[in-house]
Amino acid sequence: MLELKHVGKTYPHTVKRTLKDINLTIEEGEFICIVGPSGCGKTTLLNLVAGLEEPTKGEIFLDGVPVKGPGADRVVMFQEAALYPWLNVMDNVMLGMEFLGIPKEERKSRALKYLKMVHLSQFTEYPIHQLSGGMRQRVALARALSMDSKILLMDEPFSALDKQTTNMLRGELEQIWMKDHSKTILFVTHSAEEAVYFADRIVVLSENPGQIKEIIPCDLKRPRQIDDEAFVHLRHMLLESVKKEVVKFAREEYDEA
Amino acid sequence: MQEKSTTKLKKGLELALFFLLLIVLWQVLYLLFVDVFKVWKPYSAPSPAGVWSTFVNLLKSGVLLSALLKSLGRGGAGFALSVFAGLILGVLIHHFPYLNRNLKPVIMGMQTLPSICWVPFAILWFGLNNSAILFVVVMGSAFSVALAVDDGIKSVPPLYIKAAKTMGAGQRDLYLKVILPACVPSFIAALKQGWSFAWRALMSGEVMSSTVGLGQTLIIGRDMADINQVMLVMLVIIAAGVLIDKCIFTALENRVLRKRGLM
Ligand SMILES: Nc1ncnc2c1ncn2[C@@H]1O[C@H](COP(=O)(O)OP(=O)(O)OP(=O)(O)O)[C@@H](O)[C@H]1O
Ligand SMILES: [Mg+2]
């Protein structure tokens, strides 16, 4: 269980609060999607849970223990791919498992398995700089999944991919998550469709300062069909909620000017 | 592949022609000012032919080769020492904030000091021998290596470190498998800079002392009023410094950068 209690964040050397009074309890095995306008603090929220940043207010508990620093139980898939340019595709995927102390043979077979899953098994020997942005994202996805962490923090993991690839990877990710329902996933996205596709609950953030505007429960039957009536309805609701937020903020900007 | 090697050949040819042009220009100037206008005395102006014949003589007698090898050996040893010292110093000033605040400015100051300033100390402490020269070389280049190492570690993208930490990397893994490889390009740049400082410092040291080497050969040229020999040794010093830089450090740098897609 992951608990955020009155979490606030103000970055040093800045005056404005990035996050304010975030209260959220996430059960084990839950799939949580986080949406909100650009710059509202979604990445910051993930970084706090990851332990890369410390909250300036409140506390975060993981199974009752306060979160202190990063760890392999909360693997992050960053908004930028965060791969290492001195390693090829295969070695990049294997490095994470190496940190975990997994023996070489297993590292290899697991890396291959996930590279196959993201359709990159032909590219194992490629240096990172010869991959496209979307290919890099898929390598990062393979690396994150291969670590098999209890909590997976994903920051717009499919943003650089085309529709077909996204659909395919959505299915794969959902299957991995459904397999034993023990993985907790926090998934940041800009796509309402994606949020409704995955989420058990959707957290809508509002901005300036970033705070929880509403939490939309989402209990459609899985696997979800995006043209299903209930799906469309929920997606519409979510879009409205986010849009109001953006419009409100735009008006504030306008009034100030 | 074919195209690449022909452009390489073209570039080489162009460079060779340029050097030929320089030599022709040199010869023309020599003829004009020494033979025609007689404003320069033959003993104060080197000529291409004179330098060439000195080159052939010194090569035949073996003096040039042994001086070059001695200098290179000494330069290599001094360079290795300064890289070792510079690496340790660089990591220390990076790791300890106290040293970064206080020792780093001192090192930056020391680095601005021309290496020849260390020669008096070197001679007092070590005498007119090999150790004195090594001392000058180390003082001349270790500080620049240290500063470059500090800079290199500092410029590792924070995202690399964050990603490793969230994948559970311990301090040891973090340094050996992420920070160190990430630093390789800047380390090579540090080596390159260190070498150019070391080679210059070496010549300051050799000129002052009396052991076999290029510096001493140059001074002998001066003592015998043989301006051609002085010129020849200068050319050899330049050529050796540049060749080592190009064949070792720049080649290494290009390989690493190419592998990472940075060029
Ligand atoms: N390291 C930092 N130092 C200071 N301010 C920061 C830092 N990182 C983020 N911010 C600020 O915090 C706010 C939220 O940033 P964050 O990256 O969390 O937004 P986001 O919701 O992920 O946006 P996007 O959807 O564009 O990725 C922004 O106003 C940003 O300027
Ligand atoms: Mg973000």
Side-chain angles (χ1 to χ4, degrees), chain A residues 2 32 47-48 58 72 77-79 93 112 141 156 168-169 175 177 184 187 200 209 221 224 235-236 239:
Chain A
L2 186 67
I32 300 289
N47 281 342
L48 289 171
M77 189 183 157
F78 291 90
Q79 203 164 357
V93 176
L112 263 179
L141 178 65
E156 303 182 31
M168 174 204 88
L169 288 179
Q175 262 175 25
W177 172 73
T184 310
F187 190 106
D200 291 324
K221 163 165 124 315
R224 295 173 179 169
R235 185 176 137 243
H236 202 73
L239 275 177

Side-chain angles (χ1 to χ4, degrees), chain B residues 42-53:
Chain B
Y43 59 79
S44 69
S47 70
V51 169
W52 177 254
S53 74

